Every structure is written in structure tokens, then in C-alpha cells.
Amino acid sequence: MRDERLSSLVRPWYREPWPWFLMSLPAIAIVAGVATLVIALATDDGLVADDYYKQGLAVNQVLRREARARELGLSASASLAGAEVSVALRGTTETLPGLRLRLVHPTRSGRDQAVPLRAAEGVYQGSMTSANGEPRLLVLEDAAATWRLTGSWNGRDGTAELRAER
């Protein structure tokens, strides 16, 4: 008689809250791990370069190019409106063929753009895809990569100044 009363008071394990609570903790950790893995595989941070050593060696070349732009007395103003880009180059009277403006995203290399510029009435013009209002580092260089000017653009204003860094 006593065993019958005891068995009617004891519930099966799946009716108790504690086993479910204890099993939910590892289950939550597994779901969070899978979600983290999916995010890591779906997005590329683009911060680590495969050829970091070569890029480190290229710093001296960049410094020489900026020094050359200072020697020539070059500076520029860039106007960015929608998809149109125009650059007014100061410090030279000759029309240079094949300038290139690179719009470098601060953290995502996949969002970088290279805009070829062509001369039109003393101003260099080109077209870019939308920058989505995100800030960019602007790099202006000639086709032979002998000099370069840099500046920053906040993504909202229509103009940016470019000059050789010191």
C-alpha cells in the first residue's frame, strides 16, 4: 500500500523542471556556437593581408611617392556627388593622362573602389558606385604611380582636400 502511494507522488523525469533546465544550458551553448560559426564564415573582416611582409616593404615606396608629390607642389580638391567624381589638381599646368582615385574603406577592403579619371576642361572626372554615406580614405595617383596624394572624406560632404602627407 505504501509503494502505491509513493509511486503516485513521484512524477516521471520529463515532468520535472530541473532536467530540462540543466539540458538547456549546453543546448544554448551549442546554438550560440553554431551561430558564431555561421557569422564568421559569412563575413570576411579583410583586415589581415596574405602578403603582409611585401606590404611592409612597400611602405618606403609610398613614402617616396608622397615625397615626390611634395617636390612637385601638388594638391587637389575632390568633389563627390552621387556617382560623379571630379578632381581639380593644383600645382601643375600640364594635363596628366590617366589619374586614378581610390576610395578606401577604413575596415572593409571589399568595399574599396578604384575610379579612373579622365581630363575634361582642366578637371579630372570619373564615375563611382555608391559609397553609402560611409567615410573613405581618398588616394589620388598618376598612372605611372610616381606620386600620390591622400585625404579623407566623411561620406556626407560633397568635397574633400587631398595633399601629400608629411
Side-chain angles (χ1 to χ4, degrees):
M1 180 88 126
R2 183 177 165 124
D3 288 336
E4 288 177 17
R5 227 183 312 164
L6 252 175
S7 66
S8 67
L9 292 176
V10 175
R11 297 188 300 186
W13 71 270
Y14 54 87
R15 300 260 181 185
E16 295 292 330
W18 286 108
W20 291 107
F21 174 74
L22 293 175
M23 287 186 289
S24 69
L25 295 176
I28 290 170
I30 290 169
V31 169
V34 168
T36 303
L37 180 65
V38 166
I39 291 170
L41 293 176
T43 58
D44 177 26
D45 59 4
L47 295 177
V48 179
D50 291 337
D51 59 345
Y52 61 90
Y53 183 73
K54 288 181 182 178
Q55 287 184 4
L57 293 176
V59 169
N60 290 334
Q61 293 174 349
V62 169
L63 294 175
R64 280 194 297 267
R65 291 171 53 201
E66 290 176 352
R68 179 69 180 144
R70 277 193 306 276
E71 288 172 11
L72 295 172
L74 297 175
S75 64
S77 295
S79 297
L80 301 106
E84 295 301 315
V85 178
S86 62
V87 175
L89 185 62
R90 295 182 297 269
T92 184
T93 56
E94 64 182 86
T95 301
L96 302 171
L99 292 184
R100 181 176 70 157
L101 180 68
R102 288 187 297 133
L103 290 89
V104 181
H105 192 276
T107 59
R108 300 272 184 175
S109 62
R111 294 186 183 170
D112 294 352
Q113 297 180 45
V115 179
L117 302 173
R118 59 198 171 280
E121 300 175 12
V123 176
Y124 297 89
Q125 297 178 338
S127 297
M128 66 174 185
T129 58
S130 175
N132 299 328
E134 298 173 329
R136 298 282 201 261
L137 171 68
L138 303 177
V139 179
L140 179 67
E141 52 198 3
D142 64 330
T146 58
W147 56 265
R148 86 177 209 160
L149 302 173
T150 59
S152 60
W153 177 52
N154 65 11
R156 295 179 306 276
D157 293 341
T159 62
E161 289 296 316
L162 297 121
R163 58 184 54 92
E165 295 293 322
R166 298 218 180 255

